[in-house]
Amino acid sequence: MKVMELFQPGWRLGSKLLGWFVLVLGAGYGLYQLILLMQNQDHVRYAFYAGMVAAGATAAGTLPALFSRGLSTRLHAAILGFGGGVMLAASIFSLIVPALDLFEVATQTAWHAPLKVSAAILLGSFLMMALERSVPHEHFIKGTEGRQALILKRSWLFVFAIILHNIPEGLAIGVAYAGDDTVGASTLATGISVQDIPEGFVVAMALLAAGYSRKIAIGVGMLSGLVEPLMAVIGAIALSNSAVLPWGLAMAAGAMLFVISHEMIPESHKQGHEMSATNGLMLGFVLMFVLDTALGS
């Protein structure tokens, strides 16, 4: 018995090292396959680049936290409203309308296309709802009452919330590049990147308010955007088939609409700055509308 106890630390260390080796090996193999895929399929490569631009915008948005001491609730509401407006316009003009056009080409009656789009929107919303319920997270605005340990825990749940709602954004980019409209996909990616800038700032400021150092807050804020290129690649690969592309476009729109209604608009109105939130939403919506119609025409 004593001999076995002597070997237990060695076995534990060996199992950990083996686990890390398998993880690194798997990650390396996955990266190698991704590089090959990007070399052979242009739409996957473009989706990855666009997702990286969105992640870079999130990272850039965290930099003002180096100098800022706090984020007013009014500005917070306006930022959330602005992001919601951009995502709302993007879901309509860059996802729903192209999906409707693709369905109309393949159907004979006037009812089939809108019914299919509606079903896909509801399905995307349902899937996002299921994901939201299964992943623990904290909404955007949170109080700081209670013990510090609770505050720190909730701040990380807030980060999970940001990552959670970056998933449909990344998928939307990938799905858009899976189609033939590269200009429209670039417009969508541009709009998402624009709203990712203030989003990165909000993440960094939330972690600063929870007591983390500026380095950790900014570092986590930068890393939170990396889910977008990953999901963009997944979306581009999974929905490159023209038959499922309109379904993917509308489902991505449904997921984004769920996030807007469930997260962004209610949270932007939560602290009594409805006018600032509404003005931000209108500004974001108009900006994305101009980008989509001017660049996509």
Side-chain angles (χ1 to χ4, degrees), residues 3-19:
V3 175
M4 293 298 295
E5 291 177 356
L6 289 174
F7 281 103
Q8 279 184 355
W11 280 110
R12 290 173 184 172
L13 178 60
S15 61
K16 288 182 180 179
L17 290 175
L18 179 61

Side-chain angles (χ1 to χ4, degrees), residues 41-63:
Q41 299 189 27
D42 290 341
H43 69 283
V44 176
R45 183 169 66 254
Y46 295 150
F48 176 76
Y49 290 159
M52 287 301 297
V53 170
T58 302
T62 65
L63 296 179

Side-chain angles (χ1 to χ4, degrees), residues 3-250:
V3 175
M4 293 298 295
E5 291 177 356
L6 289 174
F7 281 103
Q8 279 184 355
W11 280 110
R12 290 173 184 172
L13 178 60
S15 61
K16 288 182 180 179
L17 290 175
L18 179 61
W20 278 107
F21 175 76
V22 172
L23 181 62
V24 171
L25 188 64
Y29 179 76
L31 182 61
Y32 172 72
Q33 291 296 323
L34 175 61
I35 293 173
L36 289 179
L37 193 62
M38 290 171 59
Q39 289 176 343
N40 297 326
Q41 299 189 27
D42 290 341
H43 69 283
V44 176
R45 183 169 66 254
Y46 295 150
F48 176 76
Y49 290 159
M52 287 301 297
V53 170
T58 302
T62 65
L63 296 179
L66 286 169
F67 315 103
S68 179
R69 293 188 175 182
L71 182 64
S72 69
T73 55
R74 186 181 299 275
L75 178 60
H76 196 171
I79 288 174
L80 290 176
F82 176 81
V86 170
M87 291 176 66
L88 181 60
S91 64
I92 295 172
F93 300 111
S94 298
L95 296 173
I96 294 176
V97 171
L100 188 61
D101 292 339
L102 289 172
F103 274 130
E104 286 178 345
V105 172
T107 55
Q108 301 296 323
T109 67
W111 285 94
H112 284 175
L115 286 176
K116 288 181 178 179
V117 170
S118 299
I121 290 173
L122 293 176
L123 179 58
S125 176
F126 174 78
L127 292 175
M128 194 63 200
M129 183 191 305
L131 184 61
E132 192 267 350
R133 289 185 175 181
S134 62
V135 177
H137 68 285
E138 179 66 37
H139 293 284
F140 288 96
I141 298 173
K142 61 187 187 307
T144 56
E145 69 277 355
R147 296 175 300 169
Q148 185 68 14
L150 178 60
I151 298 172
L152 297 180
K153 180 180 178 181
R154 296 183 71 185
S155 67
W156 283 105
L157 293 178
F158 167 77
V159 174
F160 289 146
I162 292 293
I163 294 173
L164 188 66
H165 103 258
N166 280 344
I167 291 176
E169 293 178 11
L171 282 175
I173 292 174
V175 169
Y177 276 100
D180 297 327
D181 187 6
T182 305
V183 176
S186 299
T187 303
L188 171 66
T190 300
I192 290 176
S193 298
V194 167
Q195 72 94 25
D196 278 342
I197 296 175
E199 183 177 285
F201 179 62
V202 170
V203 174
M205 294 305 297
L207 292 175
L208 281 175
Y212 286 94
S213 68
R214 290 187 186 274
K215 289 183 179 180
I216 293 178
I218 292 173
V220 172
M222 289 181 173
L223 292 175
S224 68
L226 291 180
V227 68
E228 294 196 39
L230 174 62
M231 299 309 299
V233 169
I234 292 175
I237 294 172
L239 298 168
S240 57
N241 188 313
S242 59
V244 299
L245 178 60
W247 288 94
L249 289 168

Side-chain angles (χ1 to χ4, degrees), residues 248-262:
L249 289 168
M251 286 173 62
M256 291 177 68
L257 289 173
F258 175 85
V259 171
I260 295 166
S261 178
H262 184 70

